[in-house]
Amino acid sequence: MDATLQLLSPRREGEGKTALVTGLAGFTGRYVADELRAAGYRVVGTTMPGHGAGEDLLAVDLTDRAAVAAAVAQVQPDVVVHLAAIAFVAHADISQFYNVNVMGTRNLLEALAAQAKKPSAVLLASSANIYGNADLPMLDEQTPPAPANDYAVSKLAMEYMAKLWMDKLPIIITRPFNYTGVGQHENFLLPKIVAHFRRKAPAIELGNLHVWRDFSDVRMVAASYRALLAHAPAAAGQAFNICSRTAYSLGEALAMMNRIAGYDIDVRVNPAFVRANEVVRLVGDNTRLASVVGAIAPLPLAQTLRWMYEA
């Protein structure tokens, strides 16, 4: 076991190997790619058709079973990180949650299992949203799922579907809690707040202010994914919370940004931004993750927000 989880560790456990990262061009994908390249992997990714492609970036619609099979046969990956998904909870097309998040994942697992050369690890990114409004001070992987929106239901359905393939593939399921960083779209909460401060906006409209979230830095999430791949024999067949064990209120995050930017922003609640079935508190227990990858020293949220503000 490593002493402490490191960002961009100098170890070269992926030397001479190929990693397939679905959703490589997305927010999380670029940081996972950085970690895997630091580990020595050749990183090959997928992106949606029409979003650009190249030698190591394949245009693949995950809902196209034949296209997924062809891409997997071409890449012959040693490890897989499956990030591609509809991840915005308020996404308008509900059917896409299920088509992409469940059937797209099934197409990928089917294609991987059909190869003579099996990967040593297949990491599937699920979500802590599957826990819903669990009334517990801290959520571990044994917390009964209680999804409160279609995104969360689709991710839980993906997890159950993946169990059908666990006798054929070394599957690792991750349940990241909220995380953020440079490059995340402004339709997510913290990037929206940071963007307002960056342009010196006098006011900001937000939804429910009485929410608490376990926010991680995307770089820690990527390092966790890399470490789980490296510890695949111990991790396979399990689900892991990816989190910091600390909950921040929206008010605390705003106060941090007030200090970083040097002024107080006027906060206004817009009822249109208040979600139905809002999950009030999400804070995770990462004990299981630490038992496999080593001790975890999360980056403080204020440090992440400053990185985003100054980027």
Side-chain angles (χ1 to χ4, degrees):
M1 183 189 300
D2 299 331
T4 304
L5 184 68
Q6 275 186 275
L7 301 184
L8 300 173
S9 165
R11 292 180 59 214
R12 300 285 289 179
E13 72 274 12
E15 201 75 64
K17 298 177 182 177
T18 298
L20 174 62
V21 181
T22 69
L24 180 66
F27 165 57
T28 312
R30 71 195 72 173
Y31 294 98
V32 170
D34 286 346
E35 280 287 351
L36 296 181
R37 290 183 182 119
Y41 288 100
R42 174 195 174 202
V43 177
V44 180
T46 71
T47 187
M48 277 294 292
H51 288 247
E55 181 182 354
D56 285 340
L57 186 60
L58 310 178
V60 182
D61 179 352
L62 288 177
T63 65
D64 184 335
R65 184 181 177 198
V68 174
V72 167
Q74 176 183 336
V75 177
Q76 294 285 307
D78 295 286
V79 297
V80 178
V81 180
H82 178 42
L83 304 174
I86 303 298
F88 182 49
V89 172
H91 185 73
D93 187 346
I94 299 302
S95 65
Q96 281 198 303
F97 282 127
Y98 299 96
N99 291 336
V100 175
N101 297 357
V102 183
M103 291 309 301
T105 304
R106 190 190 188 284
N107 290 340
L108 177 64
L109 296 179
E110 180 182 55
L112 291 167
Q115 299 303 306
K117 174 190 171 183
K118 301 290 192 295
S120 63
V122 178
L123 187 150
L124 305 180
S126 181
S127 171
N129 268 271
I130 69 154
Y131 298 123
N133 271 305
D135 188 19
L136 295 168
M138 190 170 288
L139 311 183
D140 65 17
E141 293 84 357
Q142 302 306 312
T143 302
N149 53 59
D150 282 287
Y151 167 68
V153 171
S154 75
K155 284 297 192 177
L156 183 59
M158 181 202 75
E159 289 194 20
Y160 280 117
M161 179 276 300
K163 292 179 186 295
L164 302 176
W165 300 90
M166 284 189 175
D167 61 337
K168 306 174 185 70
L169 294 166
I171 293 172
I172 301 163
I173 291 172
T174 61
R175 294 173 181 163
F177 284 64
N178 293 71
Y179 61 92
T180 192
V182 174
Q184 190 174 37
H185 196 280
E186 286 182 34
N187 59 9
F188 289 89
L189 179 61
L190 291 187
K192 174 182 176 177
I193 292 171
V194 172
H196 275 66
F197 279 98
R198 279 170 60 93
R199 58 178 177 261
K200 304 296 181 186
I204 185 170
E205 290 189 346
L206 297 171
N208 187 356
L209 301 180
H210 301 289
V211 294
W212 285 259
R213 291 291 181 266
D214 184 329
F215 286 110
S216 291
D217 189 299
V218 65
R219 295 168 293 184
M220 288 298 294
V221 173
S224 299
Y225 287 2
R226 170 186 170 181
L228 284 168
L229 295 177
H231 293 82
Q238 297 189 74
F240 294 88
N241 286 344
I242 311 293
C243 54
S244 70
R245 297 174 62 93
T246 303
Y248 297 93
S249 71
L250 185 51
E252 287 173 313
L254 286 162
M256 290 176 195
M257 283 307 308
N258 287 337
R259 290 191 292 272
I260 290 167
Y263 79 97
D264 289 357
I265 200 166
D266 179 24
V267 180
R268 301 166 187 168
V269 175
N270 183 337
F273 296 161
V274 177
R275 292 178 187 159
N277 300 318
E278 178 77 88
V279 176
V280 176
R281 182 181 177 89
L282 265 179
V283 57
D285 184 342
N286 59 17
T287 301
R288 179 182 290 180
L289 175 66
S291 74
V292 172
V293 307
I296 298 162
L299 297 174
L301 179 59
Q303 183 177 322
T304 302
L305 292 174
R306 183 172 293 278
W307 169 53
M308 295 164 68
Y309 179 74
E310 295 176 350

